[in-house]
Structure formats: C-alpha cells, structure tokens
Amino acid sequence: MRRSSALLMAVVLTSSASGAAAAADAAPAATTRIAACPTGWGSLAKSRATATTVPVRDVRTGRHACFDRMTVDVPGAGTARLGYQVRYVDRLLQDGSGRPIAVGGGAVLEIRVAAPGYRPETGAPTYPGRAGRPLPGVDLTGYRSFRDTRFAGSFEGETQIGLGVRARLPFRVLVLDGRVVVDVAHSWGAGR
C-alpha cells in the first residue's frame, strides 16, 4: 500500500512539473508575439526616382506603438509620380545655398520629396514652412524616436525637411495615395 501511494505521488509530482515547465515555455512566446515590432527596415538611404509638379500641402506626424511617423501630404499626386530620397546625414545643408541648418537629436534624417512646396506656375507657396524653422503645426512632445523638425525649403521642384531623431534608428519609406510616409522605429530590436 505504501509503495502504491509513493508511486502515485511520484506520478502526480512529475505531471505537475511537466505541466508547469510547458506553461513557462509557452508564456514568453505569447508575450513576444504581442510585443513584437517590425524589423528589417535598416538605416541605409532609400529613394524612388520619379517626380511630380503637384505641390506639397502639409507635413504631419503621429505616434505608433513601434515607430514614429512623418507624413508629407501631396494631395492629387497619386502614387505613380511621387518620388523621394531619405537618408541619414552628418548635417542638413539647404539646397541652393548650401547653408547648414541645425537639427536637434542624436541623428538627422534628410527627407526630400520630389514635389514643390509652391505652385510651379506662380511660385506662390503651398506649404507655410520657413527655411531653418520647425515645421508649422508639428508638436513632438511625447514622441519616442522624433526629437526635432526643420523645414529646409523647396528648391527646383523638391521639398527638403530635416528630421532629428534620438539615434540612427531603422526607418522605412512608403508611398501611399498622395503622400510620402517615413516611419522611424523606436529601437533596433524586435521588442518595444
């Protein structure tokens, strides 16, 4: 009888330990899936060689769980003719003059959208940014990656923006209907 009880107790303890180990192994996997952020964007320059004469109307930003986003609105441009160049630079140099523009943060992304910030037929501005100044209407309070924005100007059909970020972080560029989107990740890792 004692032998049966001891054997039964050993079976119960072994089953409990196995179940606990399995549960412990499963828990991190579920947590990782929930907290996972996109990876693989990289920090090398990204570009798309096409252009439009449809002017830039607005630049806005937004916060997301895994990245901060800047959107350059070019309504009416569609997707086929929206071009860009986005790259990390040591310092932002204004097109035309070569004048350096100070941008706060640990690293600077130069964003060039191949669309003017003015009406090509008259030269009248369509975007209210002023060279060397922060982007109008953009408040970066509470952002994890973004630190500063500067309008560099619009010269020869291209609009140039400096985006100060916390560090040289991975980014991606998307072209959606009438807008160029730049997402900068909060970190290099897969977690938040």
Side-chain angles (χ1 to χ4, degrees), residues 46-65:
K46 295 164 181 56
S47 64
R48 183 174 188 223
T50 188
T52 184
T53 57
V54 177
V56 171
R57 297 290 183 170
D58 194 20
V59 181
R60 54 198 165 84
T61 59
R63 294 180 296 169
H64 296 267

Side-chain angles (χ1 to χ4, degrees), residues 68 104-107 140 142-149 163-167:
D68 291 342
L140 299 180
Y143 282 69
R144 290 181 57 192
S145 295
F146 292 176
R147 294 294 182 259
D148 191 16
T149 62
L163 176 60
V165 296
R166 188 179 79 251

Side-chain angles (χ1 to χ4, degrees), residues 38-44 88 166-171 185-191:
T39 59
W41 294 351
S43 64
L44 297 178
Y88 280 103
R166 188 179 79 251
R168 188 178 174 124
L169 295 164
F171 69 93
H186 296 316
S187 68
W188 278 96

Side-chain angles (χ1 to χ4, degrees), residues 23-143:
D25 287 342
T31 304
T32 301
R33 276 194 295 270
I34 292 168
C37 291
T39 59
W41 294 351
S43 64
L44 297 178
K46 295 164 181 56
S47 64
R48 183 174 188 223
T50 188
T52 184
T53 57
V54 177
V56 171
R57 297 290 183 170
D58 194 20
V59 181
R60 54 198 165 84
T61 59
R63 294 180 296 169
H64 296 267
C66 298
F67 55 85
D68 291 342
R69 171 171 283 181
M70 175 177 280
T71 302
V72 180
D73 289 316
V74 190
T79 57
R81 308 233 353 137
L82 269 177
Y84 60 82
Q85 291 180 332
V86 181
R87 65 188 179 129
Y88 280 103
V89 295
D90 292 331
R91 58 186 192 155
L92 183 66
L93 299 176
Q94 184 182 37
D95 278 350
S97 72
R99 181 185 84 151
I101 296 175
V103 182
V108 177
L109 266 176
E110 177 184 43
I111 299 168
R112 293 173 179 267
V113 175
Y118 52 84
R119 293 185 198 289
E121 55 285 345
T122 65
T126 58
Y127 178 69
R130 294 179 48 204
R133 308 282 304 172
L135 299 180
V138 172
D139 179 6
L140 299 180
T141 303
Y143 282 69

